[in-house]
Amino acid sequence: LGVDGKGIKIGIVDSGVDYNHPELGGCWKTEGCPWQYGEDFIGDKYNEADAIPIIEPNPTPMDCAGHGTHVSGILAGRGPQVRGVAPGATFGMYRVFSCPINGEGGSSDDILLQGIEAAFEDGHDIINLSLGGGAWSEEPVAVACAQIVQQGVVVVAALGNDGAGGLQTGSAPAIARGVISVGSVDNWNVTSKPGIITSAQGTQKIALSMPGDSKYPFDFDSDTPLEIPAGGEDSIVGCANYTENMSGKIVVVKRGGCTFNEKALYAYTAGAIGVICYNNVAGDMSPAVSNSVPIPFVGISDDDGKHVTDTLAAGKATVKAPKGAREISPSKTGGQISLFSSIGPSAELDMVPLISAPGGNIWSTYPQKLGSYASLSGTSMATPYISGTVALLKQARPDLDVRAIARLLVSNGKPITDPATGLKTTPFMSGAGLVNIYDAIKSRVQFDPPVLSLNDSKISHIQGYSKLESLGSVRWAARTISIHNTDSKKSLHLSLSNAAANSLSMILANGSFSYSPRTWPADTSSVSEDTLPKVYSPNAEKTIGPGKTCSVTVFIVAPKGLKDLESWYYGGFINFTLQWDGEKTTSTQVVSYGGYNGDSTIQDVLSPPSDGLPALVDTVTGEPVNDLSTLVIDNNATKAILFGLSIPSRLVEIMLVDAATDKSAGYMVQGYNEYLARTCPECSVPYVGVPLTKTVFTDSKLTNVTQVPAGKYHVRIRALRPFGDTSVDSDYQVWNSGDFTIA
């Protein structure tokens, strides 16, 4: 197509860039340099754990963390190892993340907003945001991005990496109106370091996935002994103190149970000189550790993990990983949605992500001080791929506005088939599917809207289409799609059909809650038609004249055969088959749809009892306080209330309640929380903690402070259910602790 992004300006808001990298231009703001814009807003000393973080911006946004340089390579790489999607574009880097310090670093909303606003003021056509946090469109960064989109700038944002937490784990600003939210698919090939396992059974080569943040490369030029820690499941996953001395050895641990950083530190404390962590689910993985981790750390697939653990069960084994060695191997999960990729819908049941791109096991540039190249995974990696395709689309078709770009990008996505069910992967995971820039550029038709968010339609007889009256009372929604034939000379003939996708639920068949969503159909040998969504249209075939626009009404019926109480999220794709006058070939574009099969307003908000939350805990020991009858609270703040959310909540109140009157004495410290995201054990936020003292606030702004008098009290949590009214008591889920004494 002859497009490379030339003439398009892309602002990247991230951790900076190693602009001296030879594959990224080796320059900064000189004539002919790809990097003509940007600045540092944070410096190298910022630590969000500090009471007053140090902000000392540098003269240029040089990257010391790696993330921004990796993102930059996917967009701007000039080869020979890394070829970006839009290397001809002009770039700006707005550094808003600092160097990791003792495993910490981070940023803040005000710094993020500075970077985003600077990118907007510099006149970029596209702003790339491989970052996120929170879950609501009311988040400050989300509000800013929505306003920037309204000003004609394309904003592309990562949906997040909390797929392990299940549904509604997408983050802001990706969930903001008008922002192009991005999910991740696994790469078809994995660039990795080979590890050679030697044992009495012979030798076996495994693929070692290197984290980008580590200071210590996994280089072992001679055979080094391997060992699995003993002492039970906690030790096997590497999340407890070892009972043996691991000096001079590389330990093999299972993913899960604690962070990669914690696994590395437990191994290091036992004397280990390296860690190999194998996946606890099917496929490859790219671990992420901070550069404070003192020993090499790599990840391997579940299959390679089984080989290593089976080998060690049979006897001794060693590993050798020569310096500089690299291999490219095919991925078993290539083209499938990455397990880490966050899942929609948004807190307000809008469809996210909108589109997907390669983000799992991506080889790209890295700061030269940290090794020059790295293979990383995340929706952070998929996002610049989409930003690059937008640049190509804008270069090829400069007449397109922001909305038209999104329409073409989304409707030309290629839905992904789930090999386990044979149905399409739900759009709540994939959006419209895998991006296809060629078809987007060549497209001669626009669909508006390209996505149908159905929310939780009520049960009733279908009105407006008499042929469907026989369906009886069902959950249904009618939507109108505007279709514009942009070919000025030929008429367009179209027809539509439905491709049902998997449905997802976090309620298992036995009624228990699971963070790993259940998929329907589970057994594809016999699938009842009433368990799949249906699409009907009174005008399923249309002819649209040259340059003309028409409308098609569709009636979407939720899967009647799935139980409301199991909280299923259903979806699919309306396939439009297109043929222009005088042409023999046809093409297909899609409009994705999705909804909730039930009444979302009655869902429980707080984490299930199986999580052991809410709970009153001792902050010194970390143990729950089970006997509250003898508990005495003062202002020493050694106790706290922990709670989690199984779905996002608009408002969560935590109050001290007088046991005698059952009336609130006031909000606890941090006791009034608006727009809270979901939590889960493996999510970015595993739970929310609120200190328990005798201090309370009598106003929602937490400004009027007072001390409660001595007496008996309990804690009350009120979590607003979806679409609830903050002034209606029955719209809250309520939890009360047992009574305790305040001195």
Side-chain angles (χ1 to χ4, degrees):
L1 296 175
V3 289
D4 64 357
K6 184 177 181 180
I8 307 301
K9 294 166 60 177
I10 305 175
I12 306 170
V13 182
D14 215 295
S15 69
V17 60
D18 182 355
Y19 46 79
N20 290 324
H21 198 295
E23 295 204 35
L24 295 177
C27 57
W28 180 253
K29 293 187 178 181
T30 57
E31 185 176 352
C33 180
W35 301 98
Q36 290 295 325
Y37 303 92
E39 59 184 294
D40 185 356
F41 293 94
I42 194 166
D44 298 345
K45 300 177 181 179
Y46 185 96
N47 185 345
E48 61 185 4
D50 292 344
I52 304 178
I54 300 171
I55 302 176
E56 293 181 356
N58 297 316
T60 64
M62 177 57 74
D63 188 9
C64 57
H67 189 274
T69 301
H70 197 274
V71 166
S72 297
I74 297 167
L75 269 167
R78 281 155 164 68
Q81 287 204 43
V82 178
R83 185 72 178 174
V85 180
T90 300
F91 298 95
M93 173 56 74
Y94 303 84
R95 186 182 179 216
V96 295
F97 293 102
S98 189
C99 308
I101 301 172
N102 297 323
E104 302 291 339
S107 189
S108 62
D109 278 350
D110 58 327
I111 296 174
L112 295 178
L113 288 169
Q114 286 182 63
I116 293 168
E117 290 170 1
F120 172 71
E121 292 296 332
D122 282 345
H124 289 287
D125 302 295
I126 305 161
I127 298 178
N128 185 94
L129 299 173
S130 291
L131 52 85
W136 292 81
S137 58
E138 287 80 3
E139 294 285 342
V141 173
V143 172
C145 288
Q147 292 175 346
I148 287 172
V149 171
Q150 291 177 357
Q151 297 300 313
V153 177
V154 179
V155 178
V156 185
L159 188 62
N161 303 323
D162 283 335
L167 289 147
Q168 291 190 285
T169 49
S171 62
I175 49 82
R177 302 292 199 285
V179 171
I180 298 176
S181 53
V182 185
S184 170
V185 301
D186 283 348
N187 201 350
W188 291 262
N189 294 298
V190 179
T191 302
S192 60
K193 187 184 189 74
I196 302 167
I197 305 297
T198 302
S199 68
Q201 289 79 38
T203 62
Q204 172 81 24
K205 190 177 291 184
I206 63 174
L208 307 173
S209 180
M210 304 165 288
D213 292 346
S214 176
K215 287 182 178 178
Y216 301 93
F218 198 89
D219 294 336
F220 295 93
D221 292 322
S222 59
D223 291 321
T224 306
L226 293 169
E227 189 160 339
I228 297 175
E233 178 66 14
D234 282 346
S235 291
I236 293 172
V237 296
C239 299
N241 290 319
Y242 294 1
T243 59
E244 61 269 72
N245 187 338
M246 294 291 186
S247 295
K249 298 176 181 178
I250 295 172
V251 298
V252 179
V253 297
K254 182 180 178 182
R255 183 181 186 180
C258 60
T259 67
F260 294 126
N261 283 356
E262 289 171 317
K263 292 179 189 293
L265 291 173
Y266 278 121
Y268 174 73
T269 302
I273 58 175
V275 179
I276 296 176
C277 180
Y278 61 94
N279 210 352
N280 58 357
V281 293
D284 304 296
M285 72 165 179
S286 282
V289 299
S290 73
N291 62 16
S292 63
V293 168
I295 55 176
F297 190 106
V298 292
I300 60 175
S301 69
D302 60 318
D303 284 344
D304 282 346
K306 185 177 188 307
H307 169 76
V308 173
T309 54
D310 286 351
T311 300
L312 286 168
K316 295 183 178 181
T318 62
V319 64
K320 181 165 66 174
K323 183 178 181 180
R326 293 193 186 98
E327 280 193 354
I328 299 177
S329 57
S331 170
K332 295 180 180 179
T333 56
Q336 294 298 309
I337 292 296
S338 303
L339 291 173
F340 58 76
S341 192
S342 288
I343 306 173
S346 74
E348 295 161 300
L349 299 188
D350 289 331
M351 179 74 76
V352 289
L354 294 182
I355 195 73
S356 293
N361 298 297
I362 305 300
W363 183 254
S364 186
T365 49
Y366 218 64
Q368 295 172 93
K369 292 182 179 179
L370 297 176
S372 296
Y373 302 94
S375 180
L376 301 181
S377 295
T379 53
S380 285
M381 285 65 246
T383 300
Y385 195 103
I386 294 298
S387 292
T389 61
V390 172
L392 304 184
L393 184 56
K394 283 185 68 68
Q395 180 186 1
R397 301 180 63 170
D399 57 312
L400 298 175
D401 62 18
V402 171
R403 291 191 63 200
I405 287 169
R407 288 196 293 263
L408 287 176
L409 206 66
V410 173
S411 66
N412 284 281
K414 302 305 174 188
I416 298 166
T417 299
D418 182 347
T421 67
L423 297 182
K424 299 302 180 185
T425 297
T426 171
F428 289 124
M429 297 178 75
S430 70
L434 187 63
V435 65
N436 187 311
I437 184 58
Y438 181 88
D439 285 359
I441 289 175
K442 292 294 186 179
S443 177
R444 289 176 284 169
V445 61
Q446 290 189 26
F447 295 87
D448 187 19
V451 172
L452 303 178
S453 297
L454 307 178
N455 300 329
D456 59 345
S457 52
K458 306 302 180 185
I459 295 177
S460 65
H461 283 78
I462 295 177
Q463 300 175 356
Y465 193 11
S466 59
K467 291 183 178 180
L468 301 182
E469 290 179 357
S470 61
L471 294 177
S473 292
V474 292
R475 292 192 183 277
W476 65 281
R479 295 289 188 272
T480 299
I481 304 169
S482 174
I483 306 169
H484 178 51
N485 177 14
T486 59
D487 192 311
S488 61
K489 297 180 179 180
K490 297 181 179 181
S491 291
L492 167 64
H493 308 279
L494 64 81
S495 61
L496 67 85
S497 61
N498 176 46
N502 295 336
S503 293
L504 297 180
S505 172
M506 296 177 70
I507 307 299
L508 300 181
N510 63 8
S512 63
F513 183 91
S514 171
Y515 288 105
S516 180
R518 177 162 62 120
T519 299
W520 183 268
D523 179 7
T524 56
S525 62
S526 177
V527 180
S528 174
E529 282 296 309
D530 70 352
T531 63
L532 302 177
K534 299 289 190 297
V535 176
Y536 305 92
S537 177
N539 43 13
E541 296 184 359
K542 282 274 190 177
T543 296
I544 308 174
K548 300 298 184 180
T549 300
C550 79
S551 296
V552 170
T553 299
V554 293
F555 293 81
I556 301 173
V557 179
K560 187 176 182 179
L562 297 181
K563 298 176 182 177
D564 279 15
L565 293 178
E566 292 184 348
S567 300
W568 290 98
Y569 290 81
Y570 67 92
F573 302 88
I574 303 172
N575 294 323
F576 287 88
T577 301
L578 314 170
Q579 187 173 30
W580 278 264
D581 277 347
E583 299 180 11
K584 295 182 179 180
T585 59
T586 61
S587 59
T588 301
Q589 292 190 29
V590 301
V591 171
S592 55
Y593 66 87
Y596 178 73
N597 191 46
D599 182 356
S600 67
T601 66
I602 64 173
Q603 291 184 91
D604 280 344
V605 179
L606 296 171
S607 293
S610 57
D611 278 7
L613 299 175
L616 197 155
V617 300
D618 188 307
T619 57
V620 177
T621 66
E623 297 296 323
V625 181
N626 296 316
D627 183 7
L628 302 187
S629 63
T630 60
L631 178 64
V632 178
I633 297 296
D634 52 27
N635 272 338
N636 290 328
T638 61
K639 304 295 184 291
I641 288 290
L642 303 185
F643 67 92
L645 299 178
S646 59
I647 57 176
S649 180
R650 160 72 175 78
L651 175 62
V652 179
E653 301 173 326
I654 308 98
M655 301 169 284
L656 272 180
V657 176
D658 189 307
T661 64
D662 199 40
K663 292 184 178 180
S664 172
Y667 297 110
M668 293 166 52
V669 177
Q670 303 170 21
Y672 190 88
N673 300 275
E674 295 185 288
Y675 303 111
L676 286 186
R678 273 208 50 209
T679 64
C680 80
E682 293 191 38
C683 288
S684 303
V685 180
Y687 54 80
V688 179
V690 176
L692 175 57
T693 68
K694 60 192 299 182
T695 299
V696 296
F697 298 86
T698 57
D699 66 317
S700 61
K701 293 183 179 180
L702 306 184
T703 56
N704 299 327
V705 63
T706 187
Q707 305 290 307
V708 298
K712 289 284 188 179
Y713 294 84
H714 56 262
V715 173
R716 176 170 296 161
I717 299 177
R718 300 200 326 151
L720 190 67
R721 299 183 192 273
F723 305 106
D725 185 331
T726 58
S727 64
V728 177
D729 288 344
S730 60
D731 284 353
Y732 290 84
Q733 181 185 0
V734 180
W735 175 87
N736 291 295
S737 75
D739 292 345
F740 50 82
T741 300
I742 289 187

